[in-house]
């Protein structure tokens, strides 16, 4: 399987609920990044967390990184319809090139 | 200016055509990238330019030819493409390599 795999692949929630997406990876990394993509458009960078960091916040986003488990999670609190998008984690495995995970398609229902 | 611009937004070409995709950024970034993205799939890295030199070519067929005329511009020259090359082509830039990438809106390419 590939470096950087998101779980779940698809997620539907109601507005106001929290959404949690997970990302697992296989090799050591320098940093892990989360991106959002709205229906086949360009990707928007959400947050970067470095290998020596455990948690970062940005507005309604909270990202955690557990290097011992080689996993990260993205939490979106108080979701809105505008959060409907695909979310990708991406890693820079040491000695390798930038790799995106397969993504989680989030649908926030009004 | 914090934008990466790409032209054209849409492109339809035949298998014998030659066309070019253009990407521009004025953020002073020194790394620029081309990605290919098929529907419902993640972007796949094609090329990386670092300080205007090609540093990564992910075994992309020679019918795709990148060019970096200066630190702000990145081109992707297309020739003799196949229908399976139809995809969204994304350009991105980052300050140095391996940091946050800023993406353009993409060029949606259809090869007939």
């Amino acid at each position: 399987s590939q470096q950087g795999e998101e779980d779940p692949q698809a997620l539907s929630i109601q507005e106001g609920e929290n959404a949690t997406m997970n990302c697992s990876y296989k090799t050591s990394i320098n940093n892990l990044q989360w991106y959002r993509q709205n229906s086949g458009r360009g990707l928007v960078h959400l947050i970067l967390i470095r290998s020596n960091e455990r948690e970062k916040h940005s507005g309604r986003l909270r990202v955690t990184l557990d290097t011992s488990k080689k996993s990260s999670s993205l939490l979106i609190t108080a979701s809105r319809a505008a959060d409907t998008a695909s979310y990708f984690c991406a890693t820079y495995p040491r000695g390798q090139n930038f790799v995106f995970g397969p993504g989680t398609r989030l649908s926030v229902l009004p | 200016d914090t934008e990466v611009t790409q032209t054209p937004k849409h492109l339809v070409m035949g298998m014998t055509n030659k066309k070019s995709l253009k990407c521009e950024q004025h953020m002073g970034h020194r790394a620029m990238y081309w990605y290919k993205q098929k529907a419902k799939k993640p972007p796949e890295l094609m090329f990386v330019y670092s300080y205007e030199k090609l540093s990564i070519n992910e075994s992309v067929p020679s019918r795709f030819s990148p060019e970096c005329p200066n630190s702000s511009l990145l081109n992707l020259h297309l020739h003799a493409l196949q229908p399976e090359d139809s995809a969204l082509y994304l350009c991105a830039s980052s300050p140095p390599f391996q940091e946050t990438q800023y993406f353009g809106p993409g060029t949606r390419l259809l090869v007939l």
Side-chain angles (χ1 to χ4, degrees), chain B residues 8 21-23 28 30 33 37 39 50 67 69 72 90 101-102 112:
Chain B
L21 309 184
K22 298 185 184 302
C23 174
R30 302 318 302 264
Y33 312 74
Q37 185 179 27
S50 182
E67 179 195 20
S72 300
L90 294 161
Q101 294 188 29
Y102 295 80
L112 300 176

Side-chain angles (χ1 to χ4, degrees), chain A residues 37 40 50 92 97-98, chain B residues 35 37 56 58 98-99 108:
Chain A
Q37 185 176 36
R50 300 190 187 279
Y92 273 115
N97 301 321
F98 201 51
Chain B
Y35 290 87
Q37 185 179 27
I56 295 172
E58 289 283 27
Q98 292 201 358
E99 291 298 316
R108 192 162 297 281

Side-chain angles (χ1 to χ4, degrees), chain A residues 4-67:
Chain A
E5 296 192 17
E6 285 91 344
D7 165 42
Q9 292 188 351
L11 179 62
S12 287
I13 58 174
Q14 296 293 133
E15 251 186 334
E17 293 181 340
N18 295 343
T20 300
M21 289 160 267
N22 302 300
C23 170
S24 61
Y25 58 93
K26 294 190 178 302
T27 61
S28 297
I29 58 171
N30 293 319
N31 65 57
L32 186 145
Q33 303 178 32
W34 285 92
Y35 289 82
R36 183 186 76 224
Q37 185 176 36
N38 292 85
S39 58
R41 303 186 64 181
L43 281 78
V44 174
H45 178 259
L46 296 176
I47 203 161
L48 180 154
I49 187 165
R50 300 190 187 279
S51 58
N52 61 352
E53 297 175 308
R54 292 297 167 258
E55 186 171 315
K56 282 188 87 167
H57 296 256
S58 177
R60 294 184 295 113
L61 306 180
R62 173 178 169 255
V63 168
T64 61
L65 180 65
D66 186 334
T67 53

